[in-house]
Amino acid sequence: MACGPGFHSAKPERQTGPATRLSRVDFQGATATLCAIVRRQPPASAKPTDPMNAMAHSLRRLVQGASIVCLACALLVLGVASTARAAFESAAEYVILMDHGSGAVLYQKQADVLVPPASMSKLMTVAVVCRALREGKITLDTTYKVSVHAWRTGGAPSGTSAMFAVLGSEVKVSDLLRGMIIQSGNDAAIIIAEGMAGSEDEFAKLMVAEARRIGLKKATFGNPSGLPNPNQLMTVKELAQLARFLIRAYPEYYPIFGERQFDFNNGKKTFKFYNRNPLLALEIGVDGLKTGHIKDSGYGLVASARQLDRRLIVVVAGTKSENERTAEAKKLLEWGFRSFKEVDIFDPGEIVGSARVWGGSSYLVPLVGENGVKIMVPRTAGQSRFKATIVYDGPLKPPIKKGDQVAILRVVSSDSGVNEVALYAGEDIDQAGIMARGLDSLVLMAFGWLL
């Protein structure tokens, strides 16, 4: 493919797997025209002068190149910071910092490695309970009985974190939720599991199913509490994704994570439990989620913080002490709020690119963001390389309805930042006739990766 001055093309590479990237063509250069095919896009009427506007303009051209050139990826050097992440290091073994609004990964370290999540896996137990509440299968006033197993394994005799529910008593779901979230009660998690599913094993199956439903592909569970179990494994990225899901899907229950105190009368005594999340008291905007600790995985924490109109999610795991866990999470959040800014690169309804359709009334379906396309970028100046890729399982097959999510825009920086934005069909695509579908099949057989 012939490219304009300052660019070079690489031989397209056929990609395989369930989510096929139809082809890959790389381009390098500054902010000039990507290549002849990109020049079909109308040039900007005025050259941006503000650094952030200039960055948004350059990223926009980059994405247009990615979407037009064989639905592939483009590489571009932009005037944005590579030093932001290079200057930051975390002592935690497993780390992720995620922007809540966009899902962008601002920092990561071994984020895709499976580790025992300890009590942080109670977030998945909460997700299963919240879904049952939403669907009306249970209510906050539903009560469950404290079994010998729940009492002995997770209650007072266990020597682990417990809400001290009395053996044989009935406890409301509202109290069990707070017992799990605020006190990290293992007995609370087991009582709920047995009440909803009959046993911990059966409830663990519900947890795995819910994980897959919300897009967590690696996580496995052996119990609802996070007590040591060889099947209890998650990545810190999945924990961040789960936290983001809970905040977005269940705003009516999320405030429980920020409650500082839970008073529980077990029928014999009233206990005052104080929230175990140490970041709640630091006045940095943290309003939830969960801590965890077992010997096999060290100290971990999932937290979310809001400052003005931005919310970040941090997960650290594998730290050596409670103090290190708190310090690393605090440092990450403060750095994230200070170092990054959201940039608009496409307006709502504006076409980002196109995806190939097989056997449709049109060969291509236009792609748009749900509310435009926004990504997170470093605030400071410097040199960073960005790669934009439109990823979808192609070719797409009709019928396609306007508003169907059919692709993802992935923008990756050279310093490990990852922005992923869902892309949706911008118009309806109906199925073509038999002759047109046959011709389309021949074209794809002959030139598939080029289309």
Side-chain angles (χ1 to χ4, degrees):
M1 180 180 293
C3 294
F7 293 85
H8 74 271
S9 64
K11 183 178 179 181
E13 178 182 306
R14 179 65 174 175
Q15 303 294 309
T16 59
T20 304
R21 298 179 190 178
L22 293 184
S23 63
R24 176 168 292 185
V25 184
D26 292 337
F27 299 90
Q28 292 182 327
T31 56
T33 307
L34 285 173
C35 64
I37 193 165
V38 179
R39 283 197 287 267
R40 297 176 187 173
Q41 298 298 309
S45 57
K47 184 178 180 180
T49 54
D50 177 79
M52 280 296 171
N53 288 339
M55 187 192 315
H57 174 76
S58 297
L59 285 166
R60 175 189 176 90
R61 294 297 299 273
L62 170 64
V63 173
Q64 288 173 334
S67 60
I68 296 170
V69 183
C70 303
L71 307 172
C73 52
L75 193 64
L76 192 63
V77 178
L78 300 177
V80 296
S82 61
T83 55
R85 291 180 193 84
F88 187 89
E89 288 294 335
S90 174
E93 193 171 354
Y94 309 95
V95 183
I96 192 166
L97 181 66
M98 178 180 289
D99 177 69
H100 168 263
S102 65
V105 175
L106 309 182
Y107 181 88
Q108 58 184 327
K109 179 181 177 183
Q110 298 199 90
D112 292 307
V113 177
L114 286 167
V115 295
S119 280
M120 294 183 289
S121 58
K122 287 187 176 79
L123 294 178
M124 184 55 71
T125 302
V126 172
V128 174
V129 174
C130 287
R131 186 180 181 192
L133 288 165
R134 175 72 58 79
E135 294 177 350
K137 294 178 180 178
I138 61 174
T139 72
L140 290 174
D141 291 326
T142 298
T143 61
Y144 292 126
K145 189 174 182 178
V146 183
S147 71
V148 172
H149 173 73
W151 176 74
R152 194 178 302 279
T153 306
S158 70
T160 66
S161 58
M163 67 181 290
F164 302 106
V166 174
L167 176 62
S169 65
E170 297 275 344
V171 186
K172 288 184 178 181
V173 167
S174 58
D175 286 335
L176 293 170
L177 267 178
R178 285 175 170 81
M180 278 196 298
I181 292 170
I182 298 171
Q183 169 61 6
S184 196
N186 294 318
D187 50 354
I190 299 170
I191 294 164
I192 277 186
E194 292 182 333
M196 289 183 63
S199 70
E200 288 192 83
D201 289 342
E202 290 302 311
F203 191 85
K205 294 177 183 177
L206 296 180
M207 294 170 72
V208 173
E210 184 67 2
R212 300 298 179 266
R213 188 183 76 86
I214 64 180
L216 311 185
K217 298 179 180 180
K218 291 185 176 182
T220 58
F221 302 95
N223 62 51
S225 63
L227 288 170
N229 186 297
N231 294 323
Q232 203 86 359
L233 296 169
M234 298 183 75
T235 69
V236 293
K237 181 178 288 184
E238 288 179 320
L239 282 164
Q241 291 168 334
L242 175 56
R244 184 173 183 246
F245 170 79
L246 288 170
I247 295 167
R248 295 164 73 91
Y250 303 113
E252 67 270 39
Y253 301 118
Y254 178 68
I256 297 174
F257 288 97
E259 293 179 8
R260 301 292 186 91
Q261 181 178 319
F262 168 46
D263 297 337
F264 173 62
N265 188 317
N266 69 358
K268 294 183 177 182
K269 179 181 178 180
T270 296
F271 292 87
K272 290 185 179 294
F273 298 123
Y274 297 95
N275 201 307
R276 290 174 173 240
N277 186 342
L279 298 181
L280 290 173
L282 298 186
E283 298 184 355
I284 56 174
V286 172
D287 54 14
L289 302 173
K290 192 76 189 68
T291 60
H293 169 252
I294 58 174
K295 184 178 179 181
D296 290 344
S297 59
Y299 293 85
L301 181 149
V302 183
S304 181
R306 184 181 182 90
Q307 292 186 11
L308 299 177
D309 59 345
R310 287 185 60 204
R311 178 181 287 281
L312 299 180
I313 296 168
V314 65
V315 185
V316 297
T319 58
K320 299 174 183 178
S321 67
E322 291 183 0
N323 287 340
E324 185 180 60
R325 171 178 68 185
T326 301
E328 289 303 308
K330 178 177 181 287
K331 183 172 71 172
L332 275 157
L333 287 169
E334 291 178 334
W335 171 78
F337 282 119
R338 182 177 66 247
S339 302
F340 292 86
K341 180 177 181 179
E342 189 176 68
V343 173
D344 294 303
I345 56 175
F346 287 92
D347 294 329
E350 192 172 6
I351 294 174
V352 177
S354 301
R356 180 68 166 91
V357 180
W358 172 83
S361 54
S362 173
Y363 282 106
L364 298 171
V365 59
L367 304 174
V368 298
E370 184 178 16
N371 292 301
V373 174
K374 302 177 181 180
I375 66 171
M376 300 298 297
V377 296
R379 289 179 182 272
T380 53
Q383 288 292 313
S384 185
R385 302 169 79 83
F386 282 76
K387 182 169 68 176
T389 314
I390 290 179
V391 181
Y392 63 99
D393 188 3
L396 303 175
K397 297 179 181 179
I400 299 169
K401 297 297 182 184
K402 182 178 180 179
D404 287 349
Q405 184 184 340
V406 294
I408 293 172
L409 171 64
R410 182 177 296 141
V411 180
V412 182
S413 72
S414 56
D415 39 17
S416 302
V418 181
N419 285 264
E420 289 190 345
V421 182
L423 296 179
Y424 301 84
E427 63 183 38
D428 294 339
I429 303 292
D430 298 322
Q431 190 175 65
I434 295 177
M435 292 291 290
R437 295 201 302 272
L439 178 60
D440 214 358
S441 296
L442 291 173
V443 171
L444 282 172
M445 287 173 62
F447 306 104
W449 56 261
L450 284 172
L451 301 174

